[in-house]
Amino acid sequence: MDKIDVTASSHSYKIFIGENIRFQLQSFLTKSYSSILIISDEVVAPLYIDDLRSNFTKGKLFHTILPSGEQTKSIETFYSVHTDAINAGLDRNSLIIALGGGVVGDLAGFVAATYMRGIDYIQVPTTILAHDSSVGGKVAINHELGKNLIGSFYPPRAVVYDVETLQSLSAREIRSGYAELVKEALISDQEFFNTLLRTDIQQVTAEELQAHLSLGIKIKATIVQEDEKESGVRMYLNLGHTLGHALEAEYGYGTLTHGEAVAIGLLFALQVSENLFSKQIAYDSLFEWIKENNYPLKLQQFDEHALLNKMKSDKKTVNSKIKMVLLDDIGSPLVKELSDQEILDALQSFNRKLVTE
Amino acid sequence: MDKIDVTASSHSYKIFIGENIRFQLQSFLTKSYSSILIISDEVVAPLYIDDLRSNFTKGKLFHTILPSGEQTKSIETFYSVHTDAINAGLDRNSLIIALGGGVVGDLAGFVAATYMRGIDYIQVPTTILAHDSSVGGKVAINHELGKNLIGSFYPPRAVVYDVETLQSLSAREIRSGYAELVKEALISDQEFFNTLLRTDIQQVTAEELQAHLSLGIKIKATIVQEDEKESGVRMYLNLGHTLGHALEAEYGYGTLTHGEAVAIGLLFALQVSENLFSKQIAYDSLFEWIKENNYPLKLQQFDEHALLNKMKSDKKTVNSKIKMVLLDDIGSPLVKELSDQEILDALQSFNRKLVTE
Ligand SMILES: NC(=O)c1ccc[n+]([C@@H]2O[C@H](COP(=O)([O-])OP(=O)(O)OC[C@H]3O[C@@H](n4cnc5c(N)ncnc54)[C@H](O)[C@@H]3O)[C@@H](O)[C@H]2O)c1
Ligand SMILES: NC(=O)c1ccc[n+]([C@@H]2O[C@H](COP(=O)([O-])OP(=O)(O)OC[C@H]3O[C@@H](n4cnc5c(N)ncnc54)[C@H](O)[C@@H]3O)[C@@H](O)[C@H]2O)c1
Ligand SMILES: [Zn+2]
Ligand SMILES: [Zn+2]
């Protein structure tokens, strides 16, 4: 089992990564709680909720099972989970456990952040992508006008990451999660990036997967410790997300997974970077890897103006200028403000490239 | 002008209290903002929003005007103000200004706490009661099952309290606000309490009012600095609120103002305290003052079991035992867990007392 410490401004917490550790949940809790509410989704709950429940043989234990998918991060679900928590009698000494992917984690975390002005919660991520979402304390729901627009910075009390639960993931969800690992490698670790380029992600062993997740989480944890509230280096974690979020919004959540959209966004960020610094960084090798691992690339030709508008409504936009994370080199990210015209030009040539490949 | 410093865990801020200082708002801001959204209600906006707007002669300035009253602290209004903020193009460097009473302050503060995971806001309270709600960083909306159940601890960047704006308050709102001042006096300052007992609150001068507000705010600020997240002494500020909140919920928000309900709750807390410690504390003198100042007391005979249930759904309830703030003496509060039966008995005798008076 790997163990990673994270120091947040409000408290410190540990991330546990290992096989079958979902059965040791009790031992990762640092205090006792008056009652516990497990929040999960309809795909994950049938697979793992009983395992989780078996940790708590006595005491008040409740659960709420939500529809699976991005539409669960809505104001309506947020409110209805609050209703469930109230009806279950949760008080300020209660615990919420988020069992699922990033959707469940973001939603349950935001409920915990706002239930009676904040109660404890722990993350039990069950997707590869959630190695990213479960660490760092960003919790949120979506507004119909944009993703993650309503939320808080509210770190969990622990992250219990049982890699065994990742066995049941679909090929698509494996792809989605690996995109964020590639992102972390790109912003800080050439060697890790090379390792990933050599990886066929559908054939990865449990040991490899655990190693990749630990590396990714360490990168993320280091960054969020330095800049919890995203006023500086935490921005780098948005590499690939400016276009990624816009693609998700434009094509409708569900058409592309978050990670699939980020993978395309990473390529775009590399193209812009290579153009700006007039040198090769990693566009070609990443492009090959993305194709080999069957990420969707040939989108119906996209509408640059629509994407530009979506990019401008992103949270990272300040004064309505788009700030993009770029790479000067692998491991050397920077933030650059780009004009609308620069973005449009880059999108056009990117579009042409993808279509002609 | 009085100036009070408050140190919160995330940052420090100042409370300014004085006459006509709403015209000096600019000078109280410690940084410049990309855009500003003023949130107010339909009663307050016609009176003071132009004064506020006149502080910002250039730049992006928006406003949202909400219905007045407790029902504005709803999930629907919360979401619609987020929509307004997005449509106005607010980014992470934007500012929200809450211009109004506790309803506007709580709602606008919670929007600020959650808009793009938190942006700056300042409180411009316009009720006496809001001397309490605008200090300390508690922000929230109501759930249909209970008041303030969805919220955060999220301190403002400044509180700008122009006592001139209090001139337009109705007699009823003056009463409502003074109940919280009495509460603050009861938990910490015998002399202040005596002063208030001598005060006819409808005849108070601007100087007296400013002095009372400053004293009340200092008491509140001292307590929240010591215990921001309400794990200890901050509980004392709930004196009178266990029954107060239950009455509000039972009679429907709007029948009793918050402060009117708290006034009755204070009496109840004094009765329970005097019984418990077998001594007189201040029940009789407070009762007289409350009558002289025309607080509503003769409620239709209330249903003790219904009130008990409401009291148990309050946030301060842990393990579904009711914790009540009591007084050992004026200036000497304590928290005591009471059984359902003790509460029921106390409610019955309180009810009889009020009805026969
Ligand atoms: N908070 C953050 O810092 C952060 C970072 C990145 C992404 N996110 C958010 O995370 C979300 C995406 O997360 P996600 O990709 O995990 O989505 P998800 O939670 O929807 O999970 C993807 C799908 O896999 C299913 N699933 C989950 N675990 C499974 C398992 N073990 N076996 C089989 N199926 C399983 C789910 O039911 C769902 O259908 C987005 O909303 C994104 O905004 C947040
Ligand atoms: N956050 C906290 O710590 C805290 C503490 C105490 C109370 N509260 C909350 O505060 C709320 C009650 O606050 P409130 O009593 O100020 O209610 P409010 O905001 O509804 O104001 C009361 C009425 O006075 C009107 N009004 C406001 N300013 C006026 C002015 N200058 N002239 C004329 N009319 C004016 C309003 O339109 C409203 O009709 C409750 O929701 C309560 O939960 C919060
Ligand atoms: Zn992401
Ligand atoms: Zn109050």
Side-chain angles (χ1 to χ4, degrees), chain B residues 132 180 241 258 262:
Chain B
D132 182 3
E180 301 277 13
H241 282 65
H258 180 68
V262 167

Side-chain angles (χ1 to χ4, degrees), chain A residues 34 60 75 78-79 82-83 86-87 91-93 110 113-118 138-140 142-145 148-153 229-230 313-320, chain B residues 34 60 75 78-79 82-83 86-87 91-93 110 113-118 138-140 142-145 148-153 229-230 313-320:
Chain A
S34 57
K60 295 188 207 153
I75 192 87
F78 170 74
Y79 192 75
H82 268 280
T83 309
I86 298 165
N87 285 333
D91 61 28
R92 288 182 169 176
N93 283 327
F110 189 47
T114 53
Y115 186 71
M116 298 187 171
R117 299 201 182 84
K138 274 195 187 180
V139 295
N142 301 325
H143 189 284
E144 55 201 311
L145 298 176
N148 297 329
L149 288 180
I150 307 181
S152 308
F153 290 98
K229 301 286 167 68
E230 195 164 355
S313 72
D314 201 65
K315 281 186 298 309
K316 284 85 206 178
T317 308
V318 167
N319 277 318
S320 77
Chain B
S34 57
K60 295 187 206 154
I75 192 87
F78 170 74
Y79 191 75
H82 268 281
T83 309
I86 298 165
N87 285 332
D91 61 27
R92 289 180 168 177
N93 283 327
F110 190 46
T114 53
Y115 186 72
M116 298 186 171
R117 300 200 181 86
K138 274 195 186 180
V139 295
N142 300 326
H143 189 282
E144 56 201 311
L145 297 175
N148 297 326
L149 287 181
I150 308 181
S152 307
F153 291 98
K229 301 285 165 69
E230 195 165 357
S313 72
D314 200 67
K315 283 187 297 306
K316 285 86 206 177
T317 308
V318 168
N319 278 318
S320 77

Side-chain angles (χ1 to χ4, degrees), chain B residues 59-112:
Chain B
K60 295 187 206 154
L61 183 59
F62 307 92
H63 63 262
T64 295
I65 301 187
L66 306 172
S68 116
E70 188 68 29
Q71 76 283 359
T72 282
K73 279 173 61 176
S74 68
I75 192 87
E76 290 79 18
T77 313
F78 170 74
Y79 191 75
S80 81
V81 176
H82 268 281
T83 309
D84 294 344
I86 298 165
N87 285 332
L90 262 68
D91 61 27
R92 289 180 168 177
N93 283 327
S94 298
L95 176 74
I96 283 178
I97 300 179
L99 171 69
V103 163
V104 164
D106 278 14
L107 175 91
F110 190 46
V111 170

Side-chain angles (χ1 to χ4, degrees), chain B residues 131-356:
Chain B
H131 86 273
D132 182 3
S133 58
S134 63
V135 175
K138 274 195 186 180
V139 295
I141 55 173
N142 300 326
H143 189 282
E144 56 201 311
L145 297 175
K147 237 176 101 79
N148 297 326
L149 287 181
I150 308 181
S152 307
F153 291 98
Y154 196 77
R157 291 287 154 175
V159 180
V160 180
Y161 207 168
D162 186 341
V163 293
E164 253 271 319
T165 64
L166 305 174
Q167 295 300 324
S168 51
L169 285 176
S170 66
R172 193 155 185 230
E173 295 306 336
I174 294 172
R175 259 197 308 272
S176 186
Y178 260 94
E180 301 277 13
L181 289 167
V182 169
K183 172 196 78 179
E184 284 143 3
L186 278 172
I187 60 176
S188 77
D189 189 338
Q190 169 87 58
E191 201 184 317
F192 183 26
F193 182 63
N194 294 340
T195 305
L196 291 175
L197 285 184
R198 286 191 305 268
T199 304
D200 176 347
I201 60 176
Q202 305 298 342
Q203 306 296 331
V204 82
T205 66
E207 293 71 40
E208 282 174 315
L209 180 54
Q210 181 169 335
H212 296 164
L213 290 171
S214 290
L215 276 169
I217 288 176
K218 271 179 200 147
I219 293 168
K220 169 125 195 199
T222 306
I223 290 176
V224 301
Q225 284 188 125
E226 198 180 321
D227 174 26
E228 187 175 349
K229 301 285 165 69
E230 195 165 357
S231 50
V233 294
R234 188 163 182 168
M235 284 278 295
Y236 299 155
L237 290 166
N238 295 314
L239 184 71
H241 282 65
T242 312
L243 180 59
H245 280 159
L247 286 171
E248 274 186 281
E250 183 63 12
Y251 286 89
Y253 303 110
T255 314
L256 286 174
T257 64
H258 180 68
E260 286 169 344
V262 167
I264 301 172
L266 290 173
L267 270 186
F268 179 64
L270 280 170
Q271 180 207 278
V272 174
S273 304
E274 294 191 349
N275 272 349
L276 189 72
F277 298 108
S278 309
K279 66 174 172 186
Q280 293 224 329
I281 300 171
Y283 184 94
D284 290 339
S285 56
L286 183 61
F287 186 83
E288 282 314 308
W289 182 87
I290 278 180
K291 262 197 346 198
E292 275 162 25
N293 284 288
N294 294 311
Y295 284 80
L297 271 179
K298 301 227 165 158
L299 303 168
Q300 74 210 64
Q301 184 124 8
F302 52 65
D303 176 344
E304 290 93 10
H305 286 88
L307 284 176
L308 176 72
N309 280 334
K310 294 272 192 257
M311 285 158 99
K312 291 181 78 158
S313 72
D314 200 67
K315 283 187 297 306
K316 285 86 206 177
T317 308
V318 168
N319 278 318
S320 77
K321 281 251 173 67
I322 292 174
K323 283 189 169 182
M324 243 186 102
V325 183
L326 300 175
L327 294 179
D328 186 6
D329 209 340
I330 294 176
S332 167
L334 69 159
V335 174
K336 196 160 155 36
E337 230 176 59
L338 295 173
S339 72
D340 290 7
Q341 198 52 54
E342 287 172 300
I343 295 278
L344 278 176
D345 292 347
L347 279 172
Q348 256 147 25
S349 79
F350 185 61
N351 206 356
R352 271 195 305 274
K353 252 185 183 165
L354 290 193
V355 170
T356 56

